[in-house]
Amino acid sequence: MSPEVVAHRGASTRRPEHTLAAYELALRQGADGLECDVRLTKDGHLVCLHDRTIDRTSTGSGAVSAMTLDELRRHDFGSWHGGEPAEVLTLDALLGLAADHGTRLFIETKHPVRYGSRVERTLADQLKRYRLDVVMMSFSVFAVHRFKKLRPEVPTVLLYDRLWPQTRPRFVDYAGPGVHLLRRHPDRGHGVYTWTADDPADIALCRERGVRFLATNNPDETRAHLADNLTPDQP
Ligand code: G3P
Ligand code: CA
């Protein structure tokens, strides 16, 4: 089985990350799933942003947690990348897009953050409004644990960066090693979620080792590399 291609922050090489344009392009490119990071605004909205502040990816500055959604909406999140101007993307809008396309959404909660466990509580509540294939992820084992207690039916990924333990807690459905860890432990690749594989050698490694979900910034190139690696007895 070829890995499912997950668009990391959307098609984020070609479009500004975490914008509607990035996710729409990923869907046109045939991504099987979409990945996003979420953070809570001061007034309790989950928005799709990676960094603690908006300095890198917008025309504004300051911490996401110190701004309301209306304040975030005053800034442009597209032109830093050379793209069209873009509004901050709410998780609600992305859930709507994923639901319209029947596409699996991988949602990563960032920690440590000012609002702590409120992030997972808000996410668990918000997901009740959607009938959608969702996977919750975090580098924080505590975040994954508390989310699983709230929504046991939603699959979870525990992300690993520096070390990849041999075993995972029972509330973790998939291990989520960075591709640098997969290179170090290729024998453990079967059925895992791996991030972020853009290099053809890494994509080939994911396929050979039976990775289940492959997060990439370039869904179209990754799909092409996976197709190139097909052999006649590997449909
Ligand atoms: O998909 C997991 C990966 O996104 C984790 O790293 O820093 O890109 O959120 P980061
Ligand atoms: Ca992420």
Side-chain angles (χ1 to χ4, degrees), residues 8-9 35 37 50 108 110 137 139 159 193-196 215:
H8 185 248
R9 312 182 196 177
E35 187 264 3
D37 304 301
H50 177 272
E108 179 187 346
K110 287 298 190 194
M137 313 192 291
F139 285 102
L159 298 166
Y193 172 102
T194 298
W195 54 278
T196 304

Side-chain angles (χ1 to χ4, degrees), residues 120-138:
E120 283 73 39
R121 284 188 274 123
T122 305
L123 178 61
D125 274 354
Q126 194 162 340
L127 292 180
K128 285 183 191 152
R129 303 204 298 269
Y130 293 87
R131 288 178 64 80
L132 183 64
D133 240 347
V134 169
V135 178
M136 182 272 175
M137 313 192 291
S138 190

Side-chain angles (χ1 to χ4, degrees), residues 8-10 12 15-23 35-38 48-51 56 77 87-89 94:
H8 185 248
R9 312 182 196 177
S12 56
R15 296 288 184 274
E17 67 184 55
H18 287 123
T19 60
L20 202 54
Y23 289 105
E35 187 264 3
C36 70
D37 304 301
V38 291
C48 302
L49 290 170
H50 177 272
D51 299 359
R56 180 179 63 88
F77 287 78
E87 205 174 67
V88 67
L89 183 63
L94 185 56

